[in-house]
Amino acid sequence: AQSVTQLDSQVPVFEEAPVELRCNYSSSVSVYLFWYVQYPNQGLQLLLKYLSGSTLVKGINGFEAEFNKSQTSFHLRKPSVHISDTAEYFCAVTSTGFQKLVFGTGTRLLVSP
Amino acid sequence: DAGVIQSPRHEVTEMGQEVTLRCKPISGHNSLFWYRQTMMRGLELLIYFNNNVPIDDSGMPEDRFSAKMPNASFSTLKIQPSEPRDSAVYFCASTLALGNSPLHFGNGTRLTVT
């Protein structure tokens, strides 16, 4: 069975600063990894996904994530955040033989001026 | 593409009443998921369907919860009778195929049981 740990429940940051949201997973099989974003009163939207190939994955809104198999991590980064990036971010994992998509508990990114 | 459509957006009901949440997945998607989101427990998968057939309902909390998918374009989640602890945001999501295809979420139904 897979599991996902998002170590930070909340990350405050100033506008235009860089940010990293951490995600670690555990799985005994090959995985697919995802980052989703949830804005207030909305459903989750896909930011980016890692399926195979290059370990550096670029997504929408200037976000990127790096898959590190040895550290079982998939941290999300952005070099310069905007106020509009304030949202909840969820890391998720599923196995290549899909069953459930397992979500982390989420990290709230708070961007202030 | 209208996306995943859920109704109602908000539902307020009294304890003991029946509640029915509705979902229309994206046309052509063959898998549908129901999630519940609360502050305490985060996102929980309740049940998912593949080609209209329930595959895994182990996340359904109690017999008071039931879900159906009579056809490829419609699903319901019913709670009968409802209880205050059922208050949450319920999301429906669909995907083209199980595995590496991303989920597309609706905007959710915020349920309040008083």
Side-chain angles (χ1 to χ4, degrees), chain A residues 36 38 41 43 98-100, chain B residues 9 37 48 56 58 103 106:
Chain A
Y36 286 82
Q38 184 180 29
N41 300 314
F98 178 87
Q99 290 303 319
K100 300 177 184 181
Chain B
R9 285 299 308 273
Q37 186 177 38
Y48 73 93
D56 185 346
S58 60
L103 297 184

Side-chain angles (χ1 to χ4, degrees), chain A residues 5-27:
Chain A
T5 301
Q6 291 185 247
L7 297 167
D8 305 302
S9 60
Q10 188 167 292
V11 173
V13 64
F14 289 109
E15 193 174 20
E16 298 182 6
V19 71
E20 179 179 83
L21 305 184
R22 296 180 292 170
C23 172
N24 288 88
Y25 69 92
S26 70
S27 176

Side-chain angles (χ1 to χ4, degrees), chain B residues 73-95:
Chain B
S73 59
F74 184 65
S75 177
T76 59
L77 178 67
K78 185 177 293 186
I79 308 172
Q80 165 64 17
S82 59
E83 297 182 3
R85 61 195 167 118
D86 302 329
S87 297
V89 181
Y90 291 81
F91 287 103
C92 175
S94 68
T95 187

